[in-house]
Amino acid sequence: MSMWLYDDVREMQDFQNYQKEVRRIEREYLEIRVLLRDAESDFRKDPDDEYLKAKVKYLKKRLDDLESQAARLAADHPLEISLFAPPHG
């Protein structure tokens, strides 16, 4: 990284593209979690419904796929804590 802003324009563009992709994955992850929550709630009300059972299974699979792409989505603690927080002890 250089000292001048105009020297880093390409790096900044790469970073902005990366941020845009991360936001897209996070948005999709949140949407799936909301859909899964609602589907599981409906499935608890009617456990014999095969459509709801398949929907819950499909949404869980999609969630697992996204978590495998970006493991930090399913982490117990945000990545920022380990990067910027002082060490414990």
Side-chain angles (χ1 to χ4, degrees), residues 1-12:
M1 194 157 210
S2 66
M3 294 178 60
W4 304 103
L5 173 69
Y6 299 109
D7 293 339
D8 297 332
V9 170
R10 186 177 185 298
E11 290 177 17
M12 290 174 61

Side-chain angles (χ1 to χ4, degrees), residues 1-52:
M1 194 157 210
S2 66
M3 294 178 60
W4 304 103
L5 173 69
Y6 299 109
D7 293 339
D8 297 332
V9 170
R10 186 177 185 298
E11 290 177 17
M12 290 174 61
Q13 184 62 41
D14 291 343
F15 179 70
Q16 288 174 350
N17 291 340
Y18 172 75
Q19 275 187 324
K20 196 180 294 184
E21 181 65 20
V22 167
R23 279 191 226 113
R24 184 194 65 77
I25 291 174
E26 287 175 343
R27 188 177 314 111
E28 184 179 357
Y29 185 76
L30 180 61
E31 289 172 3
I32 291 173
R33 287 197 48 171
V34 169
L35 289 171
L36 180 61
R37 180 198 63 198
D38 296 343
E40 286 177 336
S41 174
D42 293 342
F43 184 60
R44 274 188 235 108
K45 293 175 189 173
D46 187 13
D48 296 330
D49 190 353
E50 291 297 320
Y51 172 74
L52 290 174

